[in-house]
Amino acid sequence: MVSIQKEAQGCDGLDHTVILLSNPTYYMSNDIPYIFHQDTNFLYLCGFQEPDSILVLQSIPGKALPSHKSILFVPRRDPNRELWDGPRSGPDGAIALTGVDEAYTIEEFRHLVAKLKGESNVVWYDLRKPVHAELHSDYMQPLAEVKARSKNRIQAVRHLVQNLRLIKSPAEIERMKIAGRVTAEAFTETMFASKTPVDEAFLYAKFEFECRARGADILAYPPVVAGGNRSNTLHYVKNNQLIKDGELVLLDGGCEFSCYVSDITRTWPVNGRFTKPQAELYQAVLDIQKSCLSLCSPGMSLENIYSLMLSLIGQKLKDLGVLDSSITDSHFFKAVRKYCPHHVGHYLGMDVHDTPDISRSIPFQPGMVITIEPGIYIPEDDVSAPEKFRGIGVRIEDDVVITEDAPLVLSADCPKDIYHLEQICGRSS
């Protein structure tokens, strides 16, 4: 509500109400649900892990912001439904679990909506991207239509929550340390289990098992397990082909631990030995990544590091003979982006692509968490590249906390130097 106070300067005498909807339950078919995963903005503000709920933060008449009360509206307890789905908290349980000031059944939310239609009430809610379609159409759309005709139109709240989420507290960073350590250990075990030939599906299953066996709640996203030329497809997630002797595998994976995620990528030879061209391309990416990591300090930005990454990739590609050394400046960055079409990184937190509305150009502050993930991708049908490099794709990604001092690499325990990768992978061959 401090953020609301800053945004609402000049709106003295008005009441302010923030409304966030939980996620619904999604179904893969008929009555077979997907595992429930809460909307992260809702979860960040109240910690409630059940669907079909509404969080309200409301200013208190007669008291100045940021004074407010918190209210949860949750589904009524239904013994018949709970027989199938397990126990629900109900209003009493919601208060006990979350510490909100008040809680009511979802049906009672309509009484609050009626009060919010007045001119003296400013409502903060995200109309453009409703999280819960049914709750939106039942309650918020009718309210929005009334407010559209008033002086106090509904104000967006998403960007305010993202600004809060951008800077992690020490407690949040501790959870992300665990997620990083668990994922790093899972990578090491997956590398150790590599052999030739090996199914991508086996490495996928091994990675997920090792994450869950160490306490991860779920995988953070469907991992990329791409052997050979398939590593040049950035979001390859079929993970159903055979990786042959002499090929690299690119694994981009992460886990979720206590609502916070990791996102790591490693590339290694499944037979335990890099070929000379593979080692040359891999070492080029590793050198670039280490240079980018060294710049992760307050005052820099993802956009600054991205510009450096492109320059470094371009120079390495010239050194390797992939780009002509005489390429003109006007064509240089276009040529580089052909071989690395993605950004250097993104923000990380409760979501893999965390706080997506925050610009990558803002200066780093202590407590921000980012990824650094340069890559070079040379498809097997790229006749302009030296033949020895065709079909090789390499990406190396680490998770980094910005601090006042040196960057804290959450994934530091995950091997990435050629010697260490060959030692680990070679033990299984």
Side-chain angles (χ1 to χ4, degrees):
M1 296 301 276
V2 172
S3 301
I4 298 291
Q5 184 182 26
K6 293 176 181 177
E7 292 265 325
Q9 287 180 353
C11 298
D12 296 337
L14 297 177
D15 296 323
H16 295 271
T17 302
V18 177
I19 300 173
L20 289 99
L21 308 182
S22 79
N23 270 339
T25 300
Y26 291 104
Y27 292 86
M28 60 177 73
S29 66
N30 298 324
D31 57 351
I32 306 300
Y34 287 105
I35 294 172
F36 178 71
H37 196 264
Q38 187 60 278
D39 174 76
T40 47
N41 286 334
F42 178 93
L43 185 62
Y44 180 81
L45 291 178
C46 69
F48 196 58
Q49 287 274 26
E50 296 180 24
D52 310 323
S53 304
I54 301 173
L55 172 67
V56 174
L57 304 176
Q58 195 165 39
S59 61
I60 300 172
K63 291 189 177 182
L65 290 171
S67 294
H68 69 282
K69 66 177 178 180
S70 53
I71 312 169
L72 271 172
F73 293 87
V74 303
R76 185 185 304 276
R77 296 200 62 182
D78 178 349
N80 184 55
R81 192 66 254 169
E82 291 180 25
L83 176 66
W84 293 92
D85 299 334
R88 286 289 188 93
S89 298
D92 292 342
I95 293 174
L97 278 171
T98 66
V100 293
D101 298 308
E102 302 171 16
Y104 305 97
T105 63
I106 200 77
E107 293 83 5
E108 294 175 272
F109 184 62
R110 69 179 187 277
H111 300 306
L112 177 61
V113 169
K115 296 177 183 177
L116 297 178
K117 294 178 180 179
E119 291 286 351
S120 63
N121 289 284
V122 180
V123 175
W124 301 77
Y125 170 75
D126 288 308
L127 275 174
R128 290 189 177 182
K129 294 184 177 179
V131 171
H132 194 301
E134 186 176 344
L135 291 178
H136 174 77
S137 62
D138 286 351
Y139 299 109
M140 299 309 299
Q141 187 60 41
L143 175 61
E145 291 169 1
V146 172
K147 301 298 278 186
R149 299 189 294 270
S150 77
K151 295 177 183 177
N152 294 326
R153 297 192 175 190
I154 290 180
Q155 304 294 312
V157 74
R158 175 182 163 103
H159 68 289
L160 300 180
V161 183
Q162 289 194 19
N163 283 334
L164 294 175
R165 288 175 55 182
L166 182 63
I167 308 296
K168 274 62 179 179
S169 69
E172 290 177 287
I173 291 170
E174 285 304 312
R175 290 184 177 191
M176 297 191 74
K177 285 180 180 177
I178 296 172
R181 188 190 72 238
V182 165
T183 309
E185 291 174 0
F187 262 97
T188 301
E189 293 298 327
T190 305
M191 291 171 184
F192 182 65
S194 299
K195 57 187 183 300
T196 55
V198 63
D199 282 312
E200 292 167 346
F202 171 79
L203 296 181
Y204 179 167
K206 177 66 173 173
F207 176 74
E208 180 168 14
F209 168 77
E210 296 296 344
C211 285
R212 286 180 173 269
R214 287 166 171 76
D217 300 309
I218 55 173
L219 292 185
Y221 52 93
V224 174
V225 187
N229 184 61
R230 294 178 295 283
S231 61
N232 294 304
T233 301
L234 298 182
H235 284 169
Y236 171 83
V237 291
K238 289 184 177 179
N239 304 338
N240 62 359
Q241 298 298 304
L242 192 68
I243 308 172
K244 301 171 186 174
D245 187 26
E247 291 186 323
L248 300 177
V249 61
L250 185 157
L251 200 162
D252 182 337
C255 76
E256 180 174 313
F257 181 89
S258 293
C259 307
Y260 288 82
V261 305
S262 58
D263 180 5
I264 302 173
T265 305
R266 291 293 185 265
T267 310
W268 69 88
V270 289
N271 68 3
R273 284 287 177 267
F274 285 90
T275 65
K276 189 170 185 296
Q278 288 170 348
E280 289 176 347
L281 201 62
Y282 183 90
Q283 190 61 49
V285 175
L286 184 59
D287 291 344
I288 294 164
Q289 203 239 8
K290 289 181 176 180
S291 295
C292 292
L293 285 172
S294 70
L295 296 175
C296 295
S297 58
M300 290 294 289
S301 70
L302 280 169
E303 206 60 48
N304 294 151
I305 299 176
Y306 175 56
S307 297
L308 173 78
M309 180 195 78
L310 291 177
S311 297
L312 293 175
I313 289 176
Q315 186 56 55
K316 290 289 187 181
L317 290 175
K318 285 182 180 180
D319 296 343
L320 294 169
V322 177
L323 290 183
D324 193 313
S325 58
S326 62
I327 189 170
T328 61
D329 290 344
S330 59
H331 292 96
F332 177 78
F333 286 108
K334 182 179 179 181
V336 171
R337 281 191 286 267
K338 171 186 173 183
Y339 292 108
C340 183
H342 60 74
H343 208 281
V344 71
H346 52 80
Y347 303 114
L348 190 70
M350 296 178 84
D351 289 315
V352 177
H353 292 165
D354 207 49
T355 59
D357 298 336
I358 303 291
S359 170
R360 285 182 167 114
S361 298
I362 66 168
F364 291 151
Q365 300 176 54
M368 287 185 180
V369 184
I370 59 170
T371 65
I372 294 295
E373 49 182 304
I376 295 176
Y377 313 91
I378 305 179
E380 62 185 3
D381 59 356
D382 184 355
V383 295
S384 65
E387 186 175 359
K388 64 180 180 178
F389 294 129
R390 294 177 199 169
I392 302 175
V394 175
R395 180 165 67 253
I396 306 171
E397 176 181 19
D398 281 306
D399 303 341
V400 185
V401 181
I402 306 300
T403 75
E404 293 284 5
D405 304 308
L408 172 63
V409 181
L410 299 173
S411 44
D413 292 340
C414 193
K416 62 181 177 181
D417 290 327
I418 287 178
Y419 172 79
H420 293 130
L421 292 176
E422 290 189 335
Q423 286 291 107
I424 293 167
C425 301
R427 286 187 300 163
S428 64
S429 300

